[in-house]
């Protein structure tokens, strides 16, 4: 894992938990904890597809 990846993991940790991450010794475990704790999100839909669906509903 690159230094940049570690920095991004630390920033994501701060965003999710509101505090600095503990010392990261097991990066894979850190990633697993973050993924489990992320809030649920709607599936990604490209804007063009979403707009087409709205246009069909309107007609």
């Amino acid at each position: 894992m690159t230094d940049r990846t570690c920095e991004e993991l630390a920033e994501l940790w701060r965003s999710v938990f509101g505090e600095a991450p503990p010392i990261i010794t097991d990066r894979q475990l850190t990633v697993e904890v973050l993924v489990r704790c992320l809030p649920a999100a709607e599936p990604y839909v490209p804007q063009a597809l979403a707009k087409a669906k709205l246009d069909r509903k309107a007609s």
Side-chain angles (χ1 to χ4, degrees), residues 45-54 56:
V45 178
Q47 291 297 321
L49 292 176
K51 180 157 177 25
K53 287 180 184 177
L54 289 175
R56 278 184 283 195

Side-chain angles (χ1 to χ4, degrees), residues 10-45:
E11 186 59 34
L12 181 57
W13 188 280
R14 283 185 205 91
S15 295
V16 172
F17 297 110
E19 61 186 34
I23 297 172
I24 299 173
T25 55
D26 185 344
R27 293 176 182 148
Q28 184 60 37
L29 179 59
T30 301
V31 171
E32 289 177 25
V33 169
L34 281 169
V35 170
R36 288 184 193 155
C37 294
L38 288 173
E42 294 294 321
Y44 172 76
V45 178

